[in-house]
């Protein structure tokens, strides 16, 4: 390869593949004409046909799959492989989806030591919780899902709910200690202090780790209320940008899937984990199934009255595929609504959203995403008694937040979600980075 023709390099660690399709791919698309990429990704990317299609563009110089196997061995490989790649490709930028997982921490730590002038950009992949209470509600749903999975594996624990919760809490605390403290201490003679304990959901307070918020660190976000929340967490360098999907959505979708036609369709997108929170609060499975199915049936019935002639599709969260409660809820809805099409949970939510005119969910991240696209009716239903069900009330400019079934006022919002002064992504990534160009 002719070195004179090589473009500057961006190291991209986009996180789980479903988040790559929600956000990372649009960053990649916007920057691909001026930069080459080294991609650091999970094994799930290896067999994904759409990711393979992106590789045909010829701008990815190297793909590093995150190591598998025993945990301590993975940590040693983080050190050896990331060190090698940083020296080999000398990236101008690090584009990373999170700062709190072990692989994130190693990459940040080593970049700061090997290439201290590299700009470290942290991208917001999806909706963030805007208060400590909402953050706790969000993680409580995840924990409840873990408790539910434990009880399914060991039904006897269903009689000892508090014990099950305690076992999950102990397990999560141990994972955090081992992954962020013990192994790094043995390998690096140092420990990590990420902003969030991703195993327990606990917020570690205003960042004390200046390695994560130095002069070369910036965080990219999209809404003014999100920027305020980041500043309240003590993060200094936050820049509000126009989400790259606003500019690149049509091109990316056409490249991946061909032409996509919008139709008179209502897409139903329930979240995962919140039914488990009702179980943890003392509801029986039968109560949860009846209550959630009834509320969804009532909502869908009213939506079909509001949008006569529309088709209706429902796509469960991928994690709901093996959830017996959601299987029962779905069976009940199909019996009551035989015209409703059930979409495989593994289908691209983004493609379905582009196809639909109306997107309806509860606290699903896809509603936040659909609101950014614009020209859609996006509805968050807080009618299920879910703790934290009001999370999306913080986005009134893009999402209709409903605590009842009155949809008379909902209509397509044609105005863009971004503000005129939001920065374009390309403004922040000059070929030869200078900090004065990055900071507002």
């Amino acid at each position: 390869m002719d070195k004179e023709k090589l473009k500057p390099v961006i190291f991209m660690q986009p996180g789980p593949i479903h988040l790559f399709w929600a956000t990372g791919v649009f960053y990649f698309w916007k920057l691909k004409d001026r930069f080459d990429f080294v991609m650091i990704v999970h094994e799930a990317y290896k067999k994904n046909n759409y990711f393979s299609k992106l590789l045909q563009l010829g701008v990815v110089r190297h793909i590093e799959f995150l190591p598998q196997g025993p945990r301590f061995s993975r940590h040693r490989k983080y050190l050896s492989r990331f060190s090698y790649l940083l020296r080999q490709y000398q990236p101008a930028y690090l584009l990373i989806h999170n700062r709190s997982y072990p692989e994130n921490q190693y990459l940040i730590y080593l970049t700061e030591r090997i290439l201290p002038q590299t700009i470290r950009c942290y991208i917001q992949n999806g909706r963030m919780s805007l208060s400590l209470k909402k953050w706790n509600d969000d993680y409580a749903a995840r924990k409840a899902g873990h408790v539910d999975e434990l009880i399914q594996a060991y039904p006897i624990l269903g009689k000892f709910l508090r014990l099950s919760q305690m076992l999950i809490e102990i397990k999560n605390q141990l994972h955090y200690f081992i992954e962020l403290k013990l192994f790094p201490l043995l390998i690096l003679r140092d420990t990590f202090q990420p902003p969030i304990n991703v195993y327990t959901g606990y917020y570690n307070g205003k960042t004390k780790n200046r390695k994560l918020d130095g002069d070369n660190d910036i965080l990219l976000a999209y809404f003014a209320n999100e920027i305020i929340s980041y500043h309240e967490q003590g993060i200094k360098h936050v820049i509000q940008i126009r989400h790259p999907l606003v500019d690149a959505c049509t091109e990316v979708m056409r490249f991946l899937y061909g032409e996509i036609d919008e139709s008179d369709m209502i897409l139903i997108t329930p979240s995962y984990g919140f039914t488990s929170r009702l179980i943890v609060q003392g509801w029986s499975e039968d109560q949860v199934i009846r209550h959630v199915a009834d509320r969804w049936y009532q909502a869908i019935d009213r939506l079909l009255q509001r949008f006569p002639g529309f088709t209706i599709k429902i796509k469960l969260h991928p994690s709901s595929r093996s959830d017996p409660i959601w299987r029962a809820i779905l069976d009940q809805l199909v019996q009551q609504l035989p015209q409703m099409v059930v979409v495989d949970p593994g289908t691209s939510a983004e493609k379905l959203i582009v196809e639909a005119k109306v997107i309806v969910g509860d606290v699903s991240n896809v509603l936040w995403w659909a609101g950014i696209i614009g020209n859609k009716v996006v509805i968050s239903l807080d009618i299920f008694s879910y703790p934290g069900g009001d999370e999306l009330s913080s986005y009134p400019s893009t999402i209709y937040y409903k605590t009842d079934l009155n949809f008379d006022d909902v209509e397509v919002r044609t105005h863009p979600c971004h503000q005129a002064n939001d920065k374009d992504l390309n403004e922040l990534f000059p070929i030869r980075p200078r900090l004065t160009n990055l900071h507002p």
Side-chain angles (χ1 to χ4, degrees), residues 200-255:
T200 65
Y202 296 145
Y203 174 51
N204 286 334
K206 291 189 176 182
T207 179
K208 298 176 183 177
N209 190 344
R210 298 271 64 95
K211 301 166 192 171
L212 299 179
D213 201 26
D215 289 338
N216 283 23
D217 297 276
I218 61 172
L219 191 151
L220 306 179
Y222 321 107
F223 289 90
N225 54 1
E226 296 169 343
I227 306 297
I228 292 170
S229 181
Y230 283 124
H231 284 312
E232 289 174 347
Q233 295 175 33
I235 300 172
K236 294 186 300 184
H237 302 141
V238 187
I239 298 178
Q240 185 171 348
I241 68 167
R242 184 169 67 253
H243 195 301
L245 85 86
V246 173
D247 301 320
C249 185
T250 300
E251 286 185 23
V252 170
M253 290 295 167
R254 184 182 295 124
F255 177 81

Side-chain angles (χ1 to χ4, degrees), residues 382-396:
D382 186 8
I383 61 173
F384 303 101
S385 307
Y386 294 154
D390 63 342
E391 178 72 28
L392 290 174
S393 63
S394 302
Y395 297 89

Side-chain angles (χ1 to χ4, degrees), residues 127 267-270 315 349-350 353 359-361 363-372 378 392 399:
R127 172 185 60 82
L267 176 64
I268 306 297
T269 60
K315 177 193 176 301
E350 291 75 26
I353 289 169
I359 300 94
V360 187
V363 195
S364 174
N365 188 61
V366 300
L367 300 180
W368 175 89
W369 193 89
I372 294 175
V378 185
L392 290 174
I399 299 171

